[in-house]
Amino acid sequence: EGIDVEIASAIADKLGLELQIDDMEFDSALLAVQNNAADMMLAGLSYSTDRDEVMDFSDTYATGVQVVIVKEGSDVTMDNLGDYMIGTQRGTTGYIYCTDDFGEDSVVAYDDGLTAVQALNNGQVDAVVIDNAPAKEFVAANPGLKILDAAYAQEDYAIGVAKGNTELLNAINGALEELQADGTLQSIVDKYIKAE
């Protein structure tokens, strides 16, 4: 299921709406909301000034951490990360942060996290920057990989809606407030994001 699916489902229940989930690549989901092909986007989406120009954001529902996956025994550290090739998922904040910090020549964007991790395993990149929750799953499923100790970045997750769709945004924020007040939101977050 995943944190985003469960939160979307809880919001739909609160609003008395039927939830239809379209599983798509991150970039496609960004465009779907901007073009009104989807009502809202929940996908570990964090606020950025660039995104704010093309979509509106709900209140925050969780805090996420970007981490760095490397091969066991790798020379890559947080301090020298920019000296290596970094894999990310296209359109994500991990991609934005890495290209801002190290330039586009140091970063390879993949359609999804799994493809980025496969590229790391195959030696096409030296590290992968991705959200902590999927990072843990990838490391658990791929012996010989590890997550560097320090976080690369911390960010607040929110729900994206089409620019100017104030009615939906207000409804979502109202539902989030109720879900926060009755403990539902925290129980979903705790299930997926462990405090460390």
Side-chain angles (χ1 to χ4, degrees), residues 26 41 57-58 62-63 71 74 77 80 82 99-100 102 128 139 144 151 167 170 175 178 182-183 185 187:
F26 193 88
M41 175 182 179
F57 289 86
S58 73
T63 299
K71 287 184 174 177
S74 166
T77 66
N80 68 14
T99 53
D100 283 353
F102 311 118
V128 170
V139 167
E167 191 180 341
N170 290 342
E178 289 179 33
D182 71 14
L185 194 56
S187 69

Side-chain angles (χ1 to χ4, degrees), residues 28-65:
S28 304
L30 286 171
L31 288 171
V33 166
Q34 291 168 45
N35 300 328
N36 287 303
D39 295 311
M40 62 183 188
M41 175 182 179
L42 284 87
L45 176 67
S46 53
Y47 175 88
S48 75
T49 48
D50 287 350
R51 288 179 183 159
D52 190 42
E53 291 173 16
V54 294
M55 65 190 343
D56 288 334
F57 289 86
S58 73
D59 297 334
T60 298
Y61 64 84
T63 299
V65 176

Side-chain angles (χ1 to χ4, degrees), residues 21-128:
I21 296 171
D22 293 324
D23 186 11
M24 53 182 81
E25 290 170 4
F26 193 88
D27 263 2
S28 304
L30 286 171
L31 288 171
V33 166
Q34 291 168 45
N35 300 328
N36 287 303
D39 295 311
M40 62 183 188
M41 175 182 179
L42 284 87
L45 176 67
S46 53
Y47 175 88
S48 75
T49 48
D50 287 350
R51 288 179 183 159
D52 190 42
E53 291 173 16
V54 294
M55 65 190 343
D56 288 334
F57 289 86
S58 73
D59 297 334
T60 298
Y61 64 84
T63 299
V65 176
Q66 294 280 321
V67 297
V68 181
I69 305 174
V70 297
K71 287 184 174 177
E72 295 275 358
S74 166
D75 293 331
V76 178
T77 66
M78 285 307 216
D79 296 329
N80 68 14
L81 182 59
D83 300 338
Y84 293 90
M85 286 304 293
I86 305 163
T88 66
Q89 183 175 341
R90 183 176 288 105
T92 60
T93 45
Y95 173 79
I96 294 166
Y97 295 146
C98 290
T99 53
D100 283 353
D101 290 347
F102 311 118
E104 291 190 13
D105 292 346
S106 297
V107 184
V108 183
Y110 295 95
D111 286 340
D112 52 52
L114 178 61
T115 311
V117 170
Q118 288 168 337
L120 173 61
N121 274 327
N122 297 336
Q124 295 159 290
V125 294
D126 305 297
V128 170

